[in-house]
Every structure is written in structure tokens, then in C-alpha cells.
Amino acid sequence: MGHLSQIELLLPELRAYARSICGPAESAEDLVQDAIERALRHDTRPVRLEELRPWMFRVIRNLQYDELRKRRVRREYIAVQKRLMDESDGTGSEGRDVLIRLAFEKLPPEIREVLFLIDIMGFKYAEAAEVMNVPIGTIMSRVSRARKELLRRVNGDGQNEEQTKQTP
């Protein structure tokens, strides 16, 4: 029996398990689809149905925990950013948010990309390194430089530098 037909046999159980751990039917279906995709790409997946069944359940469980961790990281990041904005120099949080967004949009694409992956999407450094196809150390240094550059631009230091470049 091929891997696909074995997975097809497991589909009702996989869907039921996914619904039990993640709630809404759409999210559960997405979780099952992601798990099947991962299984089909994995060269060393179990061959026998008795071994494939618990393996697929573990894949679903791990994918769900990864998603929950990413959501938690995003929530924590948003909470920290909100707190920092509220404690900032008196600029209202809406105004500060606009400043950050504008400064973010003006960053060079390679700086925006790493900030987006790490700080907005909540990727781990290793995940971002895989996405960008660079070593993890490169991601770490790029994130550091990108955060400093964004902060510099939000604090208004970027305007002086742009004016300096324009004057002969």
C-alpha cells in the first residue's frame, strides 16, 4: 500500500485529532493539510500503517505547538511594543505607531525582510536563516543592525543624515 493511500485511510482520524487540539474546523483542516504535506516531503517517514499513524499524530501536534508558540511570540512582541510606545517621549501611541510603520517602510528591503520574519512573524533565528538561505549568525547580525537602524529612523536621526547627503 502506497504512502498516499495509507494517509488517506488515516484522514478521518487526523481531522478529528486536529479539531480536538485546535478548535475551528478551518484551522484543523489547514493543520491536517500541513501535516500531510510535511509527511509527503519527508523521506524517512514510517512505511507501516501502525507506525505511520502515531507519527502523523505527532506531526500534527508539533505543527500546532509551533503555531501556538508563534502566536504567543507575536502577542508578547505587540505587548512590549505597546508598552514602549506608551512609555515613550509623549508621542501618542497612534502617532508612534505611524512613525514606526513609516520608518519600517523606508528601510532597505533586506533589512525589512529580516525584521518582518523575526519581529513581526515571530520566526526563530534558525527558521529565518532557512527562509533567507543564510547562516544563523548572519541573521543575528542583520537583526541587530536592522533594529538599530529602525530605532535611529524612528528617533529622527535619519532625517539629518538624508539632509547631509543632499548638501554638497
Side-chain angles (χ1 to χ4, degrees):
M1 190 180 305
H3 292 299
L4 190 56
S5 57
Q6 288 179 331
I7 292 172
E8 288 173 333
L9 287 174
L10 293 174
L11 268 177
E13 292 180 18
L14 298 176
R15 286 183 177 129
Y17 179 62
R19 277 192 301 273
S20 76
I21 64 172
C22 78
E26 306 86 38
S27 297
E29 192 61 34
D30 289 344
L31 190 58
V32 170
Q33 288 177 11
D34 290 345
I36 291 170
E37 178 186 349
R38 180 144 321 163
L40 293 175
R41 284 187 295 150
H42 204 277
D43 294 334
T44 59
R45 67 182 166 273
V47 177
R48 294 184 22 232
L49 186 62
E50 306 80 45
E51 296 167 348
L52 181 64
R53 183 174 183 250
W55 188 83
M56 287 296 297
F57 276 66
R58 262 192 323 276
V59 169
I60 289 173
R61 183 176 188 269
N62 290 342
L63 286 170
Q64 177 62 10
Y65 282 138
D66 287 347
E67 181 60 30
L68 292 173
R69 186 174 36 255
K70 287 176 187 174
R71 287 181 195 166
R72 187 191 79 233
V73 167
R74 282 185 215 121
R75 276 193 314 269
E76 289 171 357
Y77 177 78
I78 289 168
V80 166
Q81 291 305 313
K82 183 177 180 344
R83 183 178 52 80
L84 289 173
M85 284 186 229
D86 291 345
E87 294 173 358
S88 69
D89 59 346
T91 308
S93 64
E94 295 85 17
R96 183 84 171 163
D97 188 40
V98 169
L99 285 174
I100 291 171
R101 288 174 192 244
L102 289 172
F104 180 80
E105 289 172 10
K106 290 180 182 178
L107 291 172
E110 61 277 0
I111 293 177
R112 280 196 319 264
E113 180 182 18
V114 75
L115 279 179
F116 180 81
L117 291 173
I118 300 294
D119 288 341
I120 295 173
M121 295 306 298
F123 278 38
K124 294 179 181 176
Y125 289 145
E127 293 170 325
E130 185 178 331
V131 168
M132 295 177 70
N133 198 28
V134 297
I136 194 169
T138 302
I139 292 295
M140 294 166 72
S141 63
R142 284 183 185 177
V143 167
S144 176
R145 286 192 308 263
R147 287 174 179 159
K148 287 176 185 172
E149 179 62 18
L150 182 62
L151 185 59
R152 186 183 66 75
R153 288 176 184 241
V154 167
N155 289 334
D157 298 341
Q159 292 173 348
N160 295 338
E161 185 177 305
E162 289 175 20
Q163 290 171 355
T164 306
K165 286 180 184 175
Q166 292 173 357
T167 18

